[in-house]
Amino acid sequence: MKPETAITLDDGNTYLNRVLLALAIIAALGFALISLLGLVDVPSLPLITHAHAVIMASWLVLIAVQSHLGSHGSIALHKRLGKFGALLALAVVATGLMTLVDVLSTGRVPPIFTSGYFLMLGIMNLTGFSFCVGAALVLRKNTGWHRRLMLGSLILIYEPALGRILPFFLVPILGATPENAVSVMMENRDLIDTVRVSVHLSIVTIIMLGDRLVTGRFHPIYAYLFVGVICVYSVANGIGGLPAVSEFAAYVGGTEALIQGGAQ
């Protein structure tokens, strides 16, 4: 028998590879545009933000490489990189939480968000990501679930990318200018939130329908992803809007500020 040199995949192999690569590239472009257009003073950002950016970029590269190796590469290399990927995923979550606290403590929460909303949104993004990566590791021998769960980890942490890409389309549609863009977006916060949720769910829908077209069946993972996306925004809007959560967000930011002040 000829030795197997690549993991056996379902008929959606090439499709899933391309979807994951496309999502990774779009996310990277969204963050790059913000920096290139000077909308964020990158050099002045705290070290933890830079660390999180590098780790997140590394994660995007790794899952793209792993997706390719899983269908066309060496099983042994795929498994070795998988162990590194598990550690990198932990780093994504750890630096993500630290960045979340740092943003709260330095007053860099986007003006269209309340501190409570921002805190819960960040926590839910990282929770969804962690759940998908953890489940993918547990089900690593089930190729169909493993690959789609890894794709799901990217989908459930995609909100920050949408938050940077959508304003390029929404600001002109709302009739805003560069000078009043922030105030117009704050006035239309509910509309923007609805658009963001709708686009996020549309991404899941399009990927699901494409998967169905290629494989001939609806994979149950997409039901979980629909629920996951809805939970991210529902918790952020519901629990994030509670006074107690806003007070806790202020406490988290204030505590970090005191720690930094005491270290100086």
Side-chain angles (χ1 to χ4, degrees):
M1 180 182 295
K2 184 177 179 180
E4 186 179 27
T5 59
I7 300 173
T8 302
L9 299 173
D10 65 324
D11 292 335
N13 163 25
T14 300
Y15 171 74
L16 293 174
N17 283 348
R18 290 175 177 174
V19 168
L20 193 149
L21 183 60
L23 288 178
I25 291 174
I26 292 171
L29 287 176
F31 280 90
L33 277 176
I34 293 291
S35 301
L36 292 174
L37 293 176
L39 299 177
V40 174
D41 186 6
V42 176
S44 68
L45 293 176
L47 180 60
I48 186 59
T49 302
H50 290 289
H52 179 61
V54 170
I55 290 171
M56 195 67 223
S58 300
W59 172 260
L60 292 177
V61 172
L62 180 64
I63 59 175
V65 170
Q66 281 288 74
S67 181
H68 175 75
L69 286 175
S71 55
H72 302 100
S74 163
I75 294 176
L77 180 57
H78 181 82
K79 289 182 177 179
R80 286 198 298 270
L81 285 177
K83 294 176 182 178
F84 170 72
L87 296 176
L88 191 60
L90 289 175
V92 167
V93 175
T95 58
L97 289 173
M98 287 188 284
T99 300
L100 187 61
V101 172
D102 183 76
V103 171
L104 289 168
S105 66
T106 55
R108 292 185 291 115
V109 175
I112 66 169
F113 296 154
T114 63
S115 58
Y117 178 94
F118 182 78
L119 175 64
M120 294 310 303
L121 185 65
I123 289 175
M124 289 302 295
N125 284 334
L126 293 171
T127 299
F129 171 83
S130 301
F131 175 83
C132 278
V133 173
L137 291 174
V138 172
L139 298 175
R140 59 188 177 277
K141 293 183 179 180
N142 186 324
T143 302
W145 275 94
H146 177 73
R147 289 175 57 77
R148 289 174 176 83
L149 280 165
M150 291 307 297
L151 174 61
S153 72
L154 179 56
I155 291 174
L156 290 184
I157 205 171
Y158 214 65
E159 184 279 328
L162 294 178
R164 286 157 178 79
I165 295 170
L166 290 180
F168 287 106
F169 300 94
L170 292 177
V171 168
I173 291 175
L174 293 173
T177 64
E179 290 74 22
N180 68 352
V182 173
S183 60
V184 170
M185 290 179 69
M186 290 178 67
E187 292 172 1
N188 294 276
R189 180 186 181 280
D190 291 341
L191 172 63
I192 293 173
D193 196 51
T194 300
V195 170
R196 198 163 78 255
V197 176
S198 300
V199 171
H200 209 156
L201 290 173
S202 296
I203 290 173
V204 180
T205 302
I206 292 170
I207 295 172
M208 177 186 68
L209 293 176
D211 200 350
R212 168 66 174 79
L213 184 64
V214 173
T215 64
R217 71 188 187 101
F218 286 108
H219 197 283
I221 182 63
Y222 297 107
Y224 293 105
L225 292 180
F226 271 115
V227 172
V229 170
I230 292 172
C231 283
V232 166
Y233 296 99
S234 296
V235 171
N237 278 297
I239 298 179
L242 297 176
V245 176
S246 296
E247 291 175 5
F248 178 72
Y251 170 77
V252 170
T255 300
E256 178 67 13
L258 288 174
I259 293 173
Q260 291 178 351
Q264 293 177 352

